[in-house]
Structures are given as structure tokens and as C-alpha cells.
Amino acid sequence: MNEIVLEAASLEKSFGGRGLLPWGKGKRSLQAVRGVDLQVRKGETLGIVGESGCGKSTLARMLVGLSEPTGGRVALSGRDVAEMRRNARSELRRKVQFVFQDPLSSLNPRKTVRQILEAPLDNLLRMPRDRRRERVAELMQLVNLRPEFVDRHPHEFSGGQSQRIGIARALAAEPKVMVLDEPVSALDVSVQAQILNLLGDLKQRLGLTYVFISHDLAVVEHLCDTVAVMYLGNVVEHAPAEEIFRSPRHPYTHALLQSVPTLGRRSDPDALSEGELPNPAAPPPGCAFAPRCPRARDDCRQARPPLERMADGHLAACYYPLAREAGKDASQA
Amino acid sequence: MTAIAQRASGRRRRSGRPGIWARLSRNHLAVVGLGIVAGMCVLALMTPLLPLADPNATDLAARLKRPFTDGHLLGTDQLGRDMLSRILWGARVSIAVGAVATIVAATIGSLIGIVAGFYGRWLDNTLMRGVDMLMAFPYMLLALAIVAALGPGLLNALFAIAIVNIPFFARSVRGVTISLVRLEYVDAARMSGLGNGRILFSEILPNVVPVIVVTMSTTLGWMILETAGLSFLGLGAQPPQADLGSMLGDGRKLAITAPHVATIPGLVILVLVIGINLLGDGIRDVLDPRLKSGALSRPRAMTEVAPAAMSQPERSAHSNAALALDRLSTEFRIGHDVYHATRDISFQVAPGECVGIVGESGSGKSVTAMSVLGLVPTPPGLIAGGQVVYQEENLLAAPLPRLQQVRGGQIAYVFQDPLTTLNPLYTVGDQIAETVERHQGLSRRDAWQRAVELMESVHIPDAAGRARAYPHELSGGMRQRIVIAMALANDPDVIIADEPTTALDVTIQAQVLKLLDELRRKHNAALVFITHDFGVVSEICDHVQVMYAGEVVESGRVQDVFERPLHPYTRRLMSCIPQLGRGRNPIAAIPGLPPAVNDLPPGCPFAPRCDVATAACTPRPISLAPHGEGREVRCIRPGESPA
Ligand SMILES: Nc1ncnc2c1ncn2[C@@H]1O[C@H](COP(=O)(O)OP(=O)(O)O)[C@@H](O)[C@H]1O
Ligand code: SF4
Ligand code: SF4
Ligand SMILES: [Mg+2]
């Protein structure tokens, strides 16, 4: 197995509840990420899936050092990211880069593509001006954009083209690891396919490691080697992609897979009880999934189930996991 | 892949959206304002060069001369000083003080706002509490207090005016800054290695400048007025220096004997401030992003319909359909461009049946749906041709009252974002009850009872309790159920759902799809279901219409179409969607982008991206032709694959 390049340990993030004044401190805070452990190995693509508000983007931003954890730590090749953020910020940015969800709002409307792409070359790599020009042209080629577009402004591009620019911006720093937060969710299916193929191609050519965040299970299955499923700020299941799609062990993963409308198969809304999504500011005690879980029993509501090894490389956080292969029908459409 | 590049950026902004000057000049009042302001400024600038009398030279022998007397065009004041000269010199002072005060207030206020908005937390708290304190005092009183403390004088008045105006700048600039800081491009700049200082100056400031300019242009007039006010009270310009306010103050005592002494400076202030405000409003309309792109012109209550679309249907042509569209075409006219958003759309839905419309964004799905009940905004929308047949009537020819009766009654809509349908100020129960009341004339209590029943029918737990909730208190899935309950309120014959589950999570989507499916069977309603997701179509629809660039390219029974797509677009679209359960199967992307609908080729719009196109595809339009049982396809090589 390859070495671990990016690692999260007991990672937590809460928002609010830390007022300046003493009486502000009592305010209820929202814990968006509640103790996540993850390891990303060199050259792999880790998929992170989950529904809206489960903490995917918050986690992603901590992984690249765009925001500071309120607990736990992130390590990049063994080095603490929080420490790098303070003392070696440009080294951090050179090693791990980020691709944003919204291709339009991630590009400054007042800058040209050249200015956007030159910023990392100048600030992070300290590249001289003439070399920058060359490199920008190379980057444009790398993401299949015509070099003469380089003096245009973002509004002149379609969503797919803008996302190519966003990818080129991230690649400019020559990172080892790329964290991609829903990079194709805002795109139409035909354009989404172009970008997915581009990402696969770039990974091969440049030997990148990806953390790929998405709510679309089919896209994750298509692209990822391992998959972590998040629910309400926790990783509830983590396994090799093949394994998780063939034989999910956590009832939530199973329900997700059953809910996806797929050609030629009816989805099964009964894989979930009709319970409401819990309020993230007031998560239920014990297993956060219990109110919607058809398998829940009383003891599920007492203490939070830990992420435990189910089989080789397969982790799940559930007291009553599904039997192996039970979800087989789910993936054989 | 280069095909993508070649299609380049079909979005030609210039044609649709004229430049700043062009838009400003379209606003006649702003042009008048500009004329006044420019005229005044030129006069003020040229004053020292004009052959004028000394504004401060007194001549008691010639005091209070009426206007139009020899040598004194506007007469003289109580000390015999030439009014014309004093007015011009005075206006010069007033404009200068107002402008400088504006610049000072804008600089300090914007700095506070941008720093507070960017750094947030305690810095924001401290700065904005300070600003709030400034605002807590009555405006003019604060200015008076400041001048009282600093002592009277033009410079001190300027400071006072500037200080009391700081909050306006600080607040509006802070607001935009906060919204900009949240944008992803600020994070992208961080990832590119930019520090806070450079992000402030190169990413935030340029995007804040329009707001600063707008606030400046709308406060300048006020500031001139306020300066005049202080001078009027004797706290601004000190004798003998003239400014418009002090002249007004001097003239006040002579209002009866020599009205011109007060009237003339009063008129000048009036005209100047009106001019500045007209211009300022014009600038605001041009620069304020919310007012851009014609949002200013309120759309009409129904879409404009061309006479060609007004004909009545032949009887029994669509006898067993709940709703039939017949060659419906809708276009948008923007500037000199005509966007052919949908062309020649024909399909029908039977009671209890579900027809899906599937396609990528911009393919015309929503425009089709909204054309049915004239909900496409006019301007710029126009229904150019075709018929919408409901109960043997062409709804396109129906007058507005009839349409309003049908809307939310026999034909109901469910949109993607439930918040566009729900009013945040009323409880959801009230809103459903209101729909029931309007169409069925039930009493309030019965309507409320019915609302709760409807909420139960869409499986909302504790419906009686939830009816008292406001929309924001419910989750997205619950809100969409409420909207569906509203759509069901009057037992509709047709439900048109435009991407009703796109904003929902998959687990919730599965529940809402099941609900819609159950309801259309129970109520025997026809369902038109719009989506971009083939999986969803296969889940709920019986028939499907695949759209591309405003046209239906293929239609048929869902199973048939998905098992054996006939149109190359459908075939390629299906093979570029990752399918759950297929593992890491490669996907084949379609190169290129759909054409812009204001610049369509004469032949098949898919030809540039089609892998089986031939020379026969491009010269003339391809028509939708029947192909086997219940299927239609708009292609001359249906079902063919590349060799
Ligand atoms: N209010 C409008 N003004 C101008 N053009 C519009 C308007 N609404 C839609 N269009 C244009 O009509 C075409 C079809 O749009 P739409 O029906 O919304 O597509 P879909 O629902 O399939 O995503 C697009 O080219 C779109 O830009
Ligand atoms: S721990 Fe209990 S409630 Fe939680 S997922 Fe497992 S079975 Fe369901
Ligand atoms: S008509 Fe020609 S270009 Fe159009 S889809 Fe058919 S084969 Fe392709
Ligand atoms: Mg739409």
C-alpha cells in the first residue's frame, strides 16, 4: 500500500457559540464536523459522499487549510496543517489545492483568465514573468482550453469552461493533492462527463491524489477508489469503492443506494423510515441516524456507535450492520 | 475536445446588455440631472474667469436692487453686493464643500465598512457598534453638536456633515463586502497564495467600488443641502463669504421687502439638489446589479401571444387528452436578437398519465412549462405560435381572468424551489387554505380543515401542528410537500412539475417521487414532469420527450426510449451519465456545447456534435417523424451508431 499523504484525526469544527462577551458563550453552537478520522493514500481517489449539510464542504476546507479546525488535526505527509498555515503557508498551498463547486463564483469577474492563472505562479512558485506566460499557455492546453481565451473575462465562458479554468488554477501550483468540492454538480450531464474524463486523465498524467466530494453516488462510483460516507458530521462508513457499492454495511449507505433513481430499477423509499432529518444544532443522542433507521433499536439511542472494522479495509459505525452482500441487489441494476 | 474550444463563448453580452452610458442615456430624467449638474459645475469652475463684480464688495447706495437692473442682472442684497456674483461664488463654495464632505465620508465610511466586513468577528463588532452609535443620534442634531463643539466655520461644518454621513457608507459597504467575502473566488485567491491585504485590494475593493459610487451619487445632494442648512443657521460659512445656505439665511429677514434675496439662492439649491438626485438615481439604476438586465421593467400578468397562436382547436382533435400542446413556439426578444427558446413542441398527456420532459439546462423545458399558462415573462417573452388545448379550448387565446381561474385551479404548478411559491410571512396552513378559499369559496374554518387534510394526504406528520409553521421552519423536503399539497388543493386535472426534486437530497427525492406517483394515480391527474435526470424519468414517467436546443428530438414510451434510443443525442447523453452499479465503466463525453438559440444553424442543431452526421443534415430543418409504434424522432439517421 502507498504511503499516507493526507490524514485527518478526530477532526472537529463548530460554528458560532463563541461570542466575544461572556454572555455570548452560552449560545448553542453548531457542530458541522464531529470527530472525523480519514486517511488518504498517495495516488488514490477518496470519494466523500453525503447529503446536503452533512459537513462535506466544511471538512474539505479544513483539509486544505482554508479554515481552522476547532478540534483534532489534519496532517499533510505527517506535517500539521495548522502549523503550516501559520509558518509555511505557501508551501501548504503548493502541496494541496482546491477546486470549487460553483465555476462562476470561484472566478473573480474583474480578472482575466491570465491574471487568475498567473496569481499562483507568481505568489506560490515565484516564477519570472516570461516563464509565467509559457506556463499559462501550457495550463490552458492541459485543461483543453484554447490559448487565445486567456485574455477573456470569466463571464464570457460557459459553466464547463469556467470549471476548466478553476482546475487549471489549482494545477498551476503543481500540487500533489487536490481536494475537489462537488466540482461537477453545477454542470449539465454532457459537460459533467467532459470534466470527469478530464479529471481522470489529469490524475493519470500528473500522478495526483484526489479527495473528491460529491452527493452523486454514481459519479463517485465512477471515479473513486475508496469512499467515505458522511452523515451529520460523522463518517459512518469507509471502504474500498467496489466493496461499499456492492455490499454496504451501514443502513444509511444502503438507504442512499436504494434512493438513487437508476434506469431500469425502481428506487426504494422504504429503505428509510419517514423520520425527519435531525437538526444539526441539536443532534439526537446516540446514533445520529437512528430516527430514520429501519434497523434502529433502543440501545442505538444511548451511545454513538464507533467506526469499527467490518472486514478487510471496511469500516462502519453501526451496532446492527447489514450482513455482507445483503445490498447486492442495490448495485446490480 | 477542441470542438469545445471552437464553440467558444456563444454568449455575446454586448448584444443583450448595452453599456453603462447607453443605459444611462436611456433614462431621460438622469440625462436632465446630468445636464443640470454639468452646467452647474462648469459655471462653478469658470466663476473666477467670468467678468463678475467682486462678490464681497459692498455698496450701500445700491442695496436691494431688484433683478434685471442695470449692471446687476440678479439685483443686489442688503449690503449692495452683486447677487449674480454672490450666487456663482456661493454655489462654487457649496458644491465644493458638499463634494469634499462626500469624499471624506465615502473614504472613511468605506474603509470602516470594508475592514469590518472582511475581518468580521470582534473588529466588525467594535466598528459597527461605533457606527450604530453615530446613527442613534438624530442626524441634524448630531451635526449641530459637532459644529458647536468645533466652533462655527465652513471647514467645521464640512467635518460635521462628513461625520454624520459616515454610517451610510460604512453600512452599505460592509454589506457588500460580507457577501463578497463569502464568494468562492476570495477563497480561490487565498489558495493562489494571496494574503489578506492583497485580497482586500485586488479582489474585494474593485467589486465594492460600484456600491461606493452609488452611495456617493445618492448622498451628494443631501450633503449639499445639509451644508446649506448649517450655513443657514450661521454655523457654516462666515460673513462675508458667500455660500448658498448663508445667502438664504441672510435673505430670510427680507422675505417681504426684497423676496429675491432669499428666493434666488433657494431656487439654485433646489435645482442643484434635484439635478444631483436625478443623476444619482440614474447612476444607481445603472450600477446596481440587482436592477440590471431589465429587472426594472415589471413583466405583465400574462405572456404576450402572437395572433398566430390564437386560433381555436378543431373539435375532438385531442379528445382523450387532459392537456395537449400543439406546435408551441416561444421566443424571447432581447435587443436585436430573437432567442428561439422552444420551437414546435407537440405532445399530450392523458388523465393519470405522466409525461417527462428531459434535457439539459437551456433546452427549453421550463419555457415549455410556463408557456402553458402564460407565465413566461413579457417582455421579453412572446408565444409565437401553436396551441395549448385544455378542454377543447386554446388557453393561449384565453383572456387573463380565465387564465387566472385555471392557474392553481385545474392546472397546478410545482416548481424546483418551494420558496418561490411560498410566502415567508404566512403560515403554510394559511397559504393552502387561501388557495382553497379563492377557488372553492369555502368558509375560513372549512378551508383550514381542508388544508390540514391536504397536508395529511402528502404524508406530513402532525399535519394539524405543522399547518401553523412558517415556511422557513420546515425542511426542504417538507416545504416541497406543502407546495404539492397546494397544487392538489383544487383537485387539478393537470400538474406541471418543473424539476420538483432537483433541490432535494436523494433520500428525500425518493419519498417525494413516490408521493407524486401515488397522487397522480389516486386523483387521476395528468402529470407533466420536467427534469434533467434520466433516472428520475425512468422512475416516474410513462412517456418521455427529450429536448435539445428548444426542440423535441425524440419521444416515446420511457422504456422504449431508454432501451433503444433513436436520436444520436439521446444515445450519447445516456452513455455519458455514470450509472450506479456500473463500477468504473468509462463514460463517453459528447464534445462541444449546445448551440445558442439566437444563432441556430439552418439544419439539425445537433449536427456539429453528432457522430453520424452527414451532408444531408445541415442544409434544412429536420422534422419530427413517426418511427415505429408510439415513437417519434427528429433525425434522418435514427438508431444508427458510428461504424
Ligand atoms: N426570462 C427570460 N429572458 C430571456 N431568455 C430566457 C428567459 N427565460 C429563459 N430564457 C432562455 O430560453 C431558453 C430555454 O430556457 P429554459 O426553458 O429555462 O431551459 P431549461 O428549463 O430546459 O433549463 C434558454 O436559452 C434561456 O436562456
Ligand atoms: S447504530 Fe442503530 S440506528 Fe444507527 S445505523 Fe446502526 S442500526 Fe441504525
Ligand atoms: S439529423 Fe443528422 S446531425 Fe442531426 S442527429 Fe440525425 S444524424 Fe445527427
Ligand atoms: Mg429549467
Side-chain angles (χ1 to χ4, degrees), chain B residues 361-362 365-367 416 498-499 530:
Chain B
S361 58
K365 307 181 297 288
S366 299
V367 171
Q416 172 172 341
D498 187 354
E499 309 253 12
I530 294 173

Side-chain angles (χ1 to χ4, degrees), chain A residues 18 20 50-52 61 64 66 89 93 96-98 100-111 116 119-120 122-124 144-146 149 152 155-159 161 164 169 188-194 196-197 215 217-219 221-225 245 252 255-257 259-270 272-277 292 330-333, chain B residues 1-2 4-11 13-14 121-122 125-126 183-194 198 202-204 206-207 210 359-362 459 461 466 475 478 481 503 505-511 513-514 517 521 532-536 538-541 562 569 573-574 576-594 609:
Chain A
R18 274 193 316 163
L20 178 67
E51 295 178 288
S52 55
R61 293 170 55 85
V64 298
L66 266 178
R89 189 169 291 197
R93 304 283 186 242
V96 42
Q97 272 293 336
F98 199 74
F100 296 86
Q101 168 168 3
D102 183 347
L104 277 181
S105 83
S106 61
L107 303 176
N108 187 339
R110 284 169 202 277
K111 298 208 157 173
I116 290 168
D122 182 14
N123 297 311
L124 298 175
N144 295 321
L145 282 174
R146 285 219 307 221
F149 287 0
R152 298 199 180 174
H155 71 253
E156 298 179 64
F157 295 95
S158 68
Q161 288 169 329
R164 285 169 199 269
R169 190 203 54 75
D188 265 317
V189 278
S190 73
V191 181
Q192 167 176 316
Q194 294 167 358
L196 286 176
N197 285 346
H215 67 273
L217 287 135
V219 166
E221 182 182 18
H222 169 74
L223 204 74
C224 300
D225 304 303
F245 285 102
Y252 175 63
L256 270 184
L257 290 170
S259 305
V260 179
T262 307
L263 294 185
R265 173 175 71 82
R266 289 257 146 189
S267 66
D268 175 15
D270 300 327
L272 273 177
S273 313
E274 275 214 6
E276 272 277 319
L277 277 171
R292 304 167 77 197
S331 54
Q332 294 199 337
Chain B
M1 270 297 148
T2 45
I4 298 162
Q6 269 142 22
R7 264 241 45 95
S9 39
R11 19 202 88 186
R13 310 268 301 206
R14 257 148 245 117
R121 303 194 195 202
W122 64 269
N125 269 326
T126 319
L183 285 183
E184 290 180 340
Y185 69 74
V186 173
D187 281 330
R190 281 211 171 93
M191 291 309 296
S192 300
L194 268 66
R198 289 195 45 206
S202 77
E203 311 288 320
I204 307 270
N207 291 301
E360 297 183 89
S361 58
H459 306 301
R466 291 282 171 84
S475 66
M478 279 301 151
R481 280 168 204 257
D505 284 318
V506 276
T507 53
I508 311 296
Q509 164 170 289
Q511 293 168 355
L513 287 179
K514 181 182 166 201
D517 196 44
R521 288 172 206 281
H532 66 279
D533 187 333
F534 278 88
V536 170
S538 84
E539 179 91 35
I540 184 169
C541 301
F562 289 163
Y569 174 65
L573 196 56
M574 286 179 56
C576 77
I577 308 170
Q579 290 285 334
L580 197 62
R582 299 245 179 98
R584 309 194 63 157
N585 262 7
I587 48 175
I590 313 177
L593 293 173
R609 309 170 74 188

